[in-house]
Amino acid sequence: QVQLVESGGGLVQAGGSLRLSCAASGRRFSTYAMGWFRQAPGEERDVVADINWSGGNTYYADSVKGRFTISRDNANNTVYLQMNSLKPDDTAVYYCAAYRTQFAHGRPDYWGQGTQVTVAS
């Protein structure tokens, strides 16, 4: 079992930056692909970015390309989402997710509890 704990959310002005962190438990973190998802009120939970086990392969949703960066620190069981040039449309609950595979595929196997990101215009 893997437990994921997000932190770093909050309120920021449009154009600002936030860095989300996700601390993972378990010895197999370095073998798992990781992802960040977000869900706005009344909308589905969608993938924002994901990263393979080594950090050498990443994916970004078109809406965040060039503004967000996903990274991981396998030595410290942590995955990050650096969010720059934030827009009001980025307002959502952001979830960390883990896949029991080396590359993200299908639905994640584990979820964090979520952290709220609010971007004020």
Side-chain angles (χ1 to χ4, degrees):
Q1 190 73 10
V2 174
Q3 291 186 323
L4 304 172
V5 179
E6 302 99 334
S7 60
L11 173 64
V12 64
Q13 294 292 318
S17 298
L18 282 175
R19 188 193 197 201
L20 304 184
S21 299
C22 172
S25 66
R27 295 180 296 173
R28 298 184 62 86
F29 173 82
S30 63
T31 68
Y32 292 164
M34 300 294 296
W36 286 97
F37 289 69
R38 67 185 182 187
Q39 186 170 22
E43 298 188 12
E44 294 185 353
R45 189 176 300 186
D46 292 325
V47 62
V48 174
D50 62 51
I51 188 166
N52 75 322
W53 66 281
S54 68
N57 186 280
T58 57
Y59 163 84
Y60 296 95
D62 287 343
S63 58
V64 306
K65 279 181 182 176
R67 300 188 298 122
F68 290 12
T69 302
I70 188 170
S71 61
R72 66 188 297 158
D73 180 351
N74 285 345
N76 291 296
N77 280 22
T78 304
V79 63
Y80 303 98
L81 185 68
Q82 177 67 44
M83 305 186 294
N84 298 330
S85 302
L86 283 161
K87 307 174 182 179
D89 284 350
D90 295 318
T91 296
V93 177
Y94 283 70
Y95 296 90
C96 177
Y99 300 80
R100 287 183 296 185
T101 51
Q102 293 184 337
F103 291 84
H105 177 71
R107 286 187 57 81
D109 297 287
Y110 305 102
W111 293 94
Q113 82 288 351
T115 186
Q116 176 70 46
V117 171
T118 303
V119 184
S121 58

